[in-house]
Amino acid sequence: MKEIRQPGAHSYVFSRYLEPIATVNPGETVAIYTRDAFEDRVTKDTDIPSKILGNYLNPQTGPIFVEGAEPGDTLAVHIMDIEPTRDWAVSAHLPNFGGLTATNTTRTLNEPLPEKVFIYKLEDNELTYNKRLKFPWRPFLGTIGTAPELEAISALTPADHGGNMDVPDTKPGNTVYLPVRVPGAYFFTGDCHAGQGDGELCGVALEITAKVTLKFELIKGKAIKWPRIESSTELMVVGSARPMEDAARIAYAELIDWMVELGWDQWEAYQALTQIGKLHVGNMVDTYYSLVAKIDKKYALVQD
Amino acid sequence: MKEIRQPGAHSYVFSRYLEPIATVNPGETVAIYTRDAFEDRVTKDTDIPSKILGNYLNPQTGPIFVEGAEPGDTLAVHIMDIEPTRDWAVSAHLPNFGGLTATNTTRTLNEPLPEKVFIYKLEDNELTYNKRLKFPWRPFLGTIGTAPELEAISALTPADHGGNMDVPDTKPGNTVYLPVRVPGAYFFTGDCHAGQGDGELCGVALEITAKVTLKFELIKGKAIKWPRIESSTELMVVGSARPMEDAARIAYAELIDWMVELGWDQWEAYQALTQIGKLHVGNMVDTYYSLVAKIDKKYALVQD
Amino acid sequence: MKEIRQPGAHSYVFSRYLEPIATVNPGETVAIYTRDAFEDRVTKDTDIPSKILGNYLNPQTGPIFVEGAEPGDTLAVHIMDIEPTRDWAVSAHLPNFGGLTATNTTRTLNEPLPEKVFIYKLEDNELTYNKRLKFPWRPFLGTIGTAPELEAISALTPADHGGNMDVPDTKPGNTVYLPVRVPGAYFFTGDCHAGQGDGELCGVALEITAKVTLKFELIKGKAIKWPRIESSTELMVVGSARPMEDAARIAYAELIDWMVELGWDQWEAYQALTQIGKLHVGNMVDTYYSLVAKIDKKYALVQD
Amino acid sequence: MKEIRQPGAHSYVFSRYLEPIATVNPGETVAIYTRDAFEDRVTKDTDIPSKILGNYLNPQTGPIFVEGAEPGDTLAVHIMDIEPTRDWAVSAHLPNFGGLTATNTTRTLNEPLPEKVFIYKLEDNELTYNKRLKFPWRPFLGTIGTAPELEAISALTPADHGGNMDVPDTKPGNTVYLPVRVPGAYFFTGDCHAGQGDGELCGVALEITAKVTLKFELIKGKAIKWPRIESSTELMVVGSARPMEDAARIAYAELIDWMVELGWDQWEAYQALTQIGKLHVGNMVDTYYSLVAKIDKKYALVQD
């Protein structure tokens, strides 16, 4: 199996203006190595992130060129496995970043929150900081996406290309569908989390370095507007926007579109999601917030 | 067991300015009869709601006076049972109301959505409109709350008194904690749903009339700021506000406060919710949107 | 001229559930005395507002019963004069209240802002705290409105009944149009400001006590949905909501409706406001934010 | 005077990844030719924009390389003159774009607004469509900005680099200060408006082609975070974000920072803007909304 490591500097934008670091073929399974969101710089409880961190966060591995991918296609990425490449994870409370703090856009005159680093030991599928802060290993890809047609988008931003969605549903066993907007798709991933609650409240999940096993497939001639996820039991769409209600509207509206593709009448799909849809918050901390709308396949795939 | 039916007109506000219709004692279990959110006026698929509905929606049964309740207490309401009092439920797509439509506040110049009524048959714990629109019986109280100190709040509005939260977690088996802000608490409930997805997307769940069995208890001298819910496995807080991120912030901030009451350090609680909290959308259609933040008791109740 | 003073406690809600304190006739001009938003409790720079203030803020004078007013009418209030009844005004930075701070809804874990009181001397039409903080006398009514049909709304809240709009356009020389929703209209006013910038940034303008001269007129059988203001040169609508874009949408959509009443085609009105409309922020600190949309009468009243 | 015309295709992103089309020296005055936001494609009232327009809108002239500009400097752009290069302007109501319509982010299921084109005749400093739709010539630059450090940002987006702010304050006589984030600054401008109301309500102002005369100066070693504007009488900051309150917060918080640079105490600046600040809406239609906070120099520049 091909192993892909970033040669030189990692990427801090989802961008077609970068040189591809590797090529994959449709049908191919590869292992990709990722750094953590802090560039592996925060390593002990006494570190002060704001003094240690560089100008950019959330380094991505990529771009990876997908042979044969053309604008208007959809890239299907099967997440086969996520293995940690170290035995600890890090979280931290940062100044002006997070869900219960003033930020650079929700600007206030309040003093920033105190910084605090949490180094968790990873052992026996459990992450332990202390007796209360002890959580199971539930790994997923915080960031996964393709390059936009013209823009170069910060690796901190989730949008319709995927990116920094921070939704726990991009996990092993699930398939992520991404729009192809440039020849070769220009795939990026990174920011693996050993686990995370809904919302990623303080802004920093259980950040790890990882080896990620992905299988790529191409759906030719089928375009999607926003990232979709499929599990064995559910269909999902991720909407990212602010205010949060716009992320919710996008997620549900796109899920209706998906159901219409599957044969539903639009108004019956609207009605079905009213009664049986699921909607949870992925992140409420990034430059856009990400919500995941879901429907159980048991309802979505009913045959006439 | 005492049965409480509304004598005369139902209530359309959560208000201390109304006369109590009944009295309950702490420790008492009572059955309360509720109308549906449309005042039982929409009964067939060919009805046009905007022509049939009155000026007010969401009739409440109440106020119910709780003996001994004083401002600064907390009212604990155990939801014992919800039984339907008819064999059908109704949903509808309304003009200018719902999650994927312009509304009276998100004002636009677009034409309103077409109206459409869905009458579901309730049989064998299943609600059936057609082959695709067929959902299990998952009843809960759409609206539950107490009277504010000075304000009289519309029955369509969820806020820190509870009210029209439309969260599927106010269901049999769970306990809802509500603030007491006037002597006697002035409890109201109504708007039973036979089931609902997250967000109540079109604005109208599976609306039913019901007989609701509740047990009331009083926690003297303990004040809460926002409604809390407890299940056998989870602690939850409901935040209601707009934009949606404010509802999320309230829900998680109040859950941190609850954890601090249980012995947590504030910053560790913030950290714990980041890694293991849950956050889903109750409604994205009412005058304020309601989100539910949760933590599993397994994590919340760790003993030192 | 009749003088109206609040007998006993002032009102903290816009409510039909209160007893009218006075009656006015259409066509009548009266003088109304108002307290300041702090109930006149903060009087010196060394005061600490959070220790001095009561549970309720923004005391209103009212309700005032308008003879002959019926639901469906419009109440026209001509603001003839605002005279200060003391020679100083007060502003203050408060914890968890204001435009550049976390609040009770935009909840964060940041420490609250430091409190600070500013007592301004009012002399020669100028308000002076020090050399930099020295502003002209530009008085207006912070709060003006009528009672809702069923609700009782906090005096801190602006909405479609008027209320705590905090827009500098409710000033002498202008006419405020308010909806009548209960017999007698139940008019309230208070919260006079000796001056204020757009947004009322810290949450507290130049608060004064005042004698307000108002002339009341009734427009029978004409209902309006949101407060309107007319000056000698402009037509204005105040929209109040959150997020702020909804306040903007309401204000402009209602102004289009007003223009259609004046003979405009809806789409041409939309086009005209695009090119010549004005939109400024009244407050970004209250429970809802208030924006004022305007059009110059020179454009609005063109005759065919 | 040097004249700058775009050779070949215009730019649709603010990006360092494009080749500079011209170079200017600090102190130099140049004339720049701009296309209209529709790429000059919509020319008559019967055109249907959605059928005529290309994939990209808002073509920019640039990037223009500013000699000696280095990251950390500020670029001062004096707007000397805007001359129309044709005798008509165009506005239009578009589907899913504008302030009173569902959009691609505020997604709904409503039918889109009807399209309508307005061709205005420009004559004697007046733009005339018909008797009612007749407005004065008040030209300004809809879009002006520099390239970000790593990102390439759509020409439809306003942010901290400037971009598509659509604020009527970027007009002749005023100076716009922009951050320099890449060597040479990479300046872009375009999207001239013959006039516009606050909010640019329908999303399309009075769009023209123009010859723009700008004088460039460099302030070495002084960084700013957001665009600033200076007129003969006012200091202004433009904040762009969603929800709209975040744009307001950014604009006022940055204006406080500017005042602190001028010698103010932060808390007195907060107080001053509360009492005398101005805050109006530039656009409520682009991907971020832009608000302009202002203070009169009479207050801002008081000497101790």
Side-chain angles (χ1 to χ4, degrees):
Chain A
M1 188 167 61
K2 189 188 298 178
E3 299 211 327
I4 298 175
R5 285 180 177 79
Q6 192 78 7
H10 284 68
S11 302
Y12 294 90
V13 276
F14 282 71
S15 166
R16 68 183 303 166
Y17 307 111
L18 295 162
E19 277 303 304
I21 61 159
T23 293
V24 298
N25 287 301
E28 191 174 357
T29 300
V30 300
I32 300 173
Y33 288 84
T34 63
R35 294 181 75 184
D36 80 17
F38 290 154
E39 302 173 303
D40 315 343
R41 294 181 190 218
V42 182
T43 59
K44 48 189 191 301
D45 290 351
T46 51
D47 283 341
I48 298 174
S50 64
K51 300 206 171 155
I52 288 178
L53 296 174
N55 288 334
Y56 294 100
L57 292 179
N58 211 15
Q60 300 300 305
T61 303
I64 295 171
F65 190 97
V66 181
E67 284 292 347
E70 290 295 330
D73 296 343
T74 290
L75 182 64
V77 184
H78 306 285
I79 306 174
M80 314 300 287
D81 197 14
I82 298 177
E83 296 162 80
T85 53
R86 69 184 185 206
D87 65 355
W88 56 275
V90 57
S91 182
H93 301 165
L94 305 177
N96 297 321
F97 189 71
L100 292 180
T101 172
T103 68
N104 290 334
T105 49
T106 304
R107 284 278 295 267
T108 77
L109 300 176
N110 299 88
E111 287 297 313
L113 299 192
E115 296 187 56
K116 187 165 171 53
V117 170
F118 298 83
I119 303 291
Y120 287 79
K121 182 81 189 157
L122 170 56
E123 205 173 23
D124 299 334
N125 284 327
E126 206 160 39
L127 294 124
T128 307
Y129 176 78
N130 65 18
K131 210 165 152 191
R132 289 178 191 270
L133 298 173
K134 186 175 184 159
F135 309 111
W137 167 249
R138 298 151 294 150
F140 70 95
L141 300 170
T143 307
I144 178 171
T146 53
E149 187 172 353
L150 288 187
E151 293 185 279
I153 296 181
S154 163
L156 294 171
T157 296
D160 61 7
H161 70 298
N164 192 30
M165 299 183 286
D166 287 323
V167 301
D169 309 284
T170 49
K171 68 180 179 187
N174 289 1
T175 298
V176 183
Y177 299 99
L178 297 166
V180 177
R181 295 197 169 125
V182 300
Y186 280 54
F187 175 83
F188 298 80
T189 193
D191 189 26
C192 283
H193 294 170
Q196 181 200 295
D198 287 351
E200 199 184 9
L201 189 59
C202 81
V204 187
L206 298 164
E207 310 288 336
I208 50 164
T209 58
K211 176 187 174 189
V212 178
T213 308
L214 303 178
K215 181 177 180 186
F216 292 87
E217 282 183 305
L218 216 44
I219 305 172
K220 295 296 297 178
K222 162 151 185 61
I224 56 174
K225 286 191 282 182
W226 282 85
R228 298 176 176 182
I229 304 174
E230 185 172 356
S231 74
S232 58
T233 58
E234 292 176 316
L235 306 182
M236 307 173 228
V237 176
V238 187
S240 298
R242 285 205 67 201
M244 198 188 274
E245 36 267 65
D246 272 6
R249 288 171 178 134
I250 291 166
Y252 263 140
E254 289 288 325
L255 189 49
I256 289 176
D257 286 352
W258 193 353
M259 291 166 72
V260 168
E261 293 169 23
L262 293 171
W264 283 75
D265 166 76
Q266 176 186 252
W267 301 113
E268 293 203 352
Y270 189 39
Q271 175 62 208
L273 292 176
T274 300
Q275 312 308 351
I276 208 74
K278 292 288 171 192
L279 182 62
H280 74 99
V281 178
N283 92 74
M284 53 184 276
V285 296
D286 296 327
T287 52
Y288 292 115
Y289 301 160
S290 297
L291 270 71
V292 184
K294 305 183 177 184
I295 184 169
D296 197 302
K297 288 179 175 178
K298 179 169 62 179
Y299 299 103
L301 304 182
V302 168
Q303 296 304 316
D304 282 319
Chain B
M1 187 169 59
K2 189 188 298 179
E3 298 211 328
I4 299 175
R5 284 180 177 79
Q6 191 78 6
H10 283 68
S11 302
Y12 293 92
V13 276
F14 282 71
S15 168
R16 69 184 303 168
Y17 308 110
L18 296 162
E19 277 302 303
I21 62 161
T23 293
V24 298
N25 287 302
E28 191 175 359
T29 300
V30 300
I32 299 174
Y33 287 84
T34 62
R35 294 181 73 185
D36 80 18
F38 288 155
E39 303 173 300
D40 314 343
R41 294 181 189 219
V42 181
T43 60
K44 48 190 191 300
D45 290 351
T46 52
D47 282 341
I48 298 174
S50 65
K51 301 208 170 153
I52 288 177
L53 296 174
N55 288 334
Y56 293 100
L57 292 178
N58 211 14
Q60 299 300 304
T61 303
I64 295 171
F65 190 95
V66 181
E67 285 292 349
E70 292 295 330
D73 297 342
T74 289
L75 181 65
V77 185
H78 305 286
I79 306 175
M80 313 299 287
D81 197 14
I82 299 176
E83 297 162 80
T85 54
R86 71 184 184 205
D87 64 356
W88 56 274
V90 58
S91 182
H93 301 166
L94 305 176
N96 297 321
F97 189 71
L100 292 179
T101 173
T103 68
N104 290 334
T105 48
T106 304
R107 284 278 294 268
T108 77
L109 300 176
N110 298 89
E111 287 297 312
L113 299 192
E115 296 187 57
K116 186 165 170 57
V117 170
F118 298 83
I119 303 292
Y120 288 79
K121 183 80 189 158
L122 170 55
E123 205 174 26
D124 299 333
N125 284 328
E126 205 160 42
L127 294 124
T128 307
Y129 176 78
N130 64 20
K131 210 165 151 190
R132 289 177 190 269
L133 298 173
K134 185 174 183 161
F135 309 111
W137 166 249
R138 299 150 294 151
F140 70 94
L141 301 169
T143 307
I144 179 170
T146 53
E149 186 171 354
L150 288 188
E151 294 187 279
I153 296 180
S154 163
L156 293 171
T157 296
D160 61 8
H161 70 298
N164 193 30
M165 299 181 287
D166 288 324
V167 300
D169 309 284
T170 48
K171 67 181 180 186
N174 290 0
T175 298
V176 183
Y177 299 98
L178 297 166
V180 177
R181 296 198 168 125
V182 299
Y186 280 55
F187 175 83
F188 298 79
T189 193
D191 189 26
C192 282
H193 294 170
Q196 181 199 295
D198 287 351
E200 199 184 9
L201 189 60
C202 82
V204 187
L206 297 163
E207 310 287 337
I208 50 164
T209 58
K211 176 187 175 188
V212 178
T213 307
L214 303 178
K215 181 176 179 187
F216 291 87
E217 282 183 306
L218 216 45
I219 305 172
K220 295 295 296 179
K222 162 152 185 60
I224 56 174
K225 286 191 282 182
W226 282 85
R228 297 176 177 183
I229 305 173
E230 185 172 356
S231 75
S232 58
T233 58
E234 292 177 316
L235 306 182
M236 307 173 228
V237 176
V238 187
S240 298
R242 285 205 68 199
M244 196 187 276
E245 37 267 67
D246 272 7
R249 288 172 179 134
I250 290 167
Y252 262 140
E254 289 286 326
L255 189 49
I256 288 175
D257 286 351
W258 193 354
M259 290 167 72
V260 168
E261 293 169 23
L262 294 172
W264 282 75
D265 166 76
Q266 176 185 253
W267 302 112
E268 294 204 352
Y270 188 40
Q271 175 63 209
L273 292 175
T274 301
Q275 310 309 350
I276 209 73
K278 291 288 172 191
L279 182 62
H280 74 98
V281 179
N283 92 75
M284 52 184 276
V285 296
D286 296 327
T287 51
Y288 293 114
Y289 300 161
S290 297
L291 269 71
V292 185
K294 305 183 176 183
I295 185 170
D296 197 300
K297 288 180 176 178
K298 181 169 58 177
Y299 299 103
L301 304 182
V302 167
Q303 296 305 315
D304 282 320
Chain C
M1 187 168 63
K2 189 187 297 177
E3 298 211 327
I4 299 175
R5 284 181 177 78
Q6 191 78 7
H10 283 68
S11 301
Y12 294 91
V13 277
F14 282 71
S15 166
R16 68 183 304 165
Y17 308 111
L18 295 162
E19 277 304 304
I21 61 159
T23 293
V24 297
N25 287 301
E28 190 173 358
T29 299
V30 300
I32 300 173
Y33 287 84
T34 62
R35 294 181 73 184
D36 81 16
F38 289 155
E39 303 173 301
D40 316 342
R41 294 182 189 217
V42 181
T43 59
K44 49 190 191 302
D45 291 351
T46 51
D47 282 342
I48 298 173
S50 65
K51 300 209 170 152
I52 288 177
L53 297 174
N55 288 334
Y56 293 100
L57 292 178
N58 211 15
Q60 299 300 304
T61 302
I64 295 171
F65 190 95
V66 181
E67 284 293 347
E70 291 295 329
D73 297 342
T74 289
L75 181 65
V77 184
H78 306 287
I79 306 176
M80 314 299 287
D81 198 14
I82 299 178
E83 297 162 80
T85 53
R86 70 183 185 207
D87 64 355
W88 56 275
V90 57
S91 181
H93 302 166
L94 305 176
N96 297 321
F97 189 70
L100 291 180
T101 171
T103 67
N104 290 333
T105 49
T106 304
R107 285 278 295 266
T108 77
L109 300 176
N110 298 88
E111 286 298 312
L113 299 193
E115 297 188 55
K116 186 165 171 54
V117 170
F118 298 83
I119 304 292
Y120 288 78
K121 181 80 188 158
L122 170 55
E123 205 173 22
D124 299 333
N125 283 328
E126 206 161 41
L127 294 125
T128 307
Y129 176 78
N130 64 19
K131 210 165 151 191
R132 291 176 189 270
L133 299 173
K134 186 174 184 160
F135 309 111
W137 167 249
R138 298 151 295 150
F140 69 95
L141 301 169
T143 308
I144 179 170
T146 53
E149 186 171 355
L150 287 187
E151 293 186 279
I153 296 181
S154 163
L156 294 171
T157 296
D160 60 8
H161 69 298
N164 192 31
M165 299 181 287
D166 287 323
V167 301
D169 309 283
T170 49
K171 67 180 181 185
N174 289 0
T175 298
V176 183
Y177 300 98
L178 296 166
V180 178
R181 295 198 169 123
V182 300
Y186 280 55
F187 175 82
F188 298 79
T189 194
D191 190 25
C192 283
H193 294 170
Q196 181 200 297
D198 287 351
E200 198 184 11
L201 189 59
C202 82
V204 186
L206 297 165
E207 310 288 337
I208 49 165
T209 58
K211 176 186 176 191
V212 178
T213 306
L214 303 178
K215 181 176 180 188
F216 291 87
E217 283 184 304
L218 216 43
I219 305 171
K220 295 296 298 178
K222 162 149 184 61
I224 56 174
K225 286 190 282 182
W226 283 85
R228 296 175 178 183
I229 305 174
E230 186 172 354
S231 74
S232 57
T233 58
E234 292 177 315
L235 306 181
M236 307 172 228
V237 177
V238 187
S240 298
R242 285 206 66 202
M244 197 188 276
E245 38 266 65
D246 272 7
R249 287 171 179 135
I250 291 167
Y252 262 140
E254 289 288 325
L255 189 50
I256 289 176
D257 285 352
W258 193 354
M259 291 167 72
V260 168
E261 293 169 23
L262 294 171
W264 283 76
D265 167 75
Q266 175 186 254
W267 301 113
E268 293 202 353
Y270 188 41
Q271 175 62 209
L273 292 175
T274 301
Q275 311 308 350
I276 209 72
K278 291 287 171 194
L279 182 62
H280 74 98
V281 178
N283 93 74
M284 53 184 276
V285 296
D286 296 327
T287 51
Y288 293 114
Y289 301 160
S290 297
L291 270 71
V292 184
K294 304 184 177 183
I295 184 170
D296 196 302
K297 287 179 175 178
K298 180 168 61 178
Y299 299 103
L301 303 182
V302 167
Q303 296 305 315
D304 284 319
Chain D
M1 189 167 58
K2 189 187 296 177
E3 299 211 328
I4 298 175
R5 286 180 176 79
Q6 191 78 7
H10 283 68
S11 302
Y12 293 92
V13 277
F14 282 71
S15 166
R16 70 183 302 165
Y17 307 110
L18 295 162
E19 277 303 302
I21 62 160
T23 294
V24 298
N25 287 300
E28 190 174 359
T29 300
V30 300
I32 300 173
Y33 288 84
T34 62
R35 294 182 74 185
D36 80 16
F38 290 155
E39 303 173 301
D40 316 342
R41 294 181 189 217
V42 181
T43 59
K44 48 190 191 301
D45 290 351
T46 51
D47 282 341
I48 298 172
S50 64
K51 299 206 172 156
I52 288 177
L53 297 174
N55 288 334
Y56 294 98
L57 292 177
N58 210 17
Q60 299 301 305
T61 303
I64 295 171
F65 190 96
V66 182
E67 284 293 347
E70 290 296 329
D73 297 341
T74 289
L75 182 64
V77 184
H78 305 286
I79 305 175
M80 313 300 287
D81 198 15
I82 299 177
E83 297 163 80
T85 53
R86 70 185 185 204
D87 64 356
W88 55 275
V90 58
S91 181
H93 302 165
L94 305 176
N96 297 321
F97 188 70
L100 292 179
T101 172
T103 67
N104 290 334
T105 48
T106 304
R107 284 281 294 267
T108 77
L109 300 175
N110 299 87
E111 287 297 313
L113 299 192
E115 296 187 55
K116 187 165 170 54
V117 170
F118 299 83
I119 303 292
Y120 287 79
K121 182 79 187 156
L122 170 56
E123 205 173 24
D124 299 334
N125 283 327
E126 206 161 41
L127 294 125
T128 307
Y129 176 77
N130 64 19
K131 210 166 151 188
R132 289 178 190 270
L133 299 173
K134 185 175 185 160
F135 309 110
W137 167 249
R138 298 152 293 150
F140 70 95
L141 301 170
T143 308
I144 179 171
T146 52
E149 186 172 355
L150 288 187
E151 294 186 278
I153 297 181
S154 163
L156 294 171
T157 296
D160 61 7
H161 70 300
N164 192 30
M165 299 182 286
D166 287 324
V167 301
D169 309 284
T170 48
K171 67 180 181 188
N174 290 359
T175 298
V176 183
Y177 299 99
L178 297 167
V180 178
R181 296 198 169 124
V182 300
Y186 280 54
F187 175 83
F188 298 80
T189 193
D191 189 26
C192 283
H193 293 169
Q196 181 199 295
D198 287 350
E200 199 184 11
L201 188 59
C202 83
V204 186
L206 297 164
E207 310 288 336
I208 50 165
T209 58
K211 176 187 174 188
V212 178
T213 307
L214 304 178
K215 181 176 178 187
F216 292 86
E217 284 183 304
L218 216 43
I219 305 172
K220 294 296 297 179
K222 162 150 183 64
I224 56 175
K225 286 190 284 181
W226 283 84
R228 297 176 177 183
I229 305 174
E230 185 172 356
S231 74
S232 58
T233 58
E234 292 177 316
L235 306 182
M236 308 173 227
V237 177
V238 187
S240 299
R242 285 205 67 200
M244 196 187 277
E245 37 267 66
D246 273 6
R249 288 172 179 135
I250 290 166
Y252 262 141
E254 288 288 325
L255 188 49
I256 289 176
D257 286 351
W258 194 353
M259 291 167 72
V260 168
E261 292 169 23
L262 294 171
W264 284 74
D265 166 76
Q266 176 186 254
W267 301 113
E268 293 204 353
Y270 189 39
Q271 175 63 208
L273 292 176
T274 301
Q275 310 309 350
I276 209 74
K278 291 288 171 192
L279 183 62
H280 74 97
V281 179
N283 92 74
M284 52 184 277
V285 297
D286 295 327
T287 51
Y288 292 114
Y289 300 161
S290 297
L291 270 72
V292 185
K294 303 184 178 183
I295 184 169
D296 197 302
K297 287 180 177 179
K298 180 168 59 179
Y299 299 103
L301 303 182
V302 167
Q303 295 305 316
D304 283 319

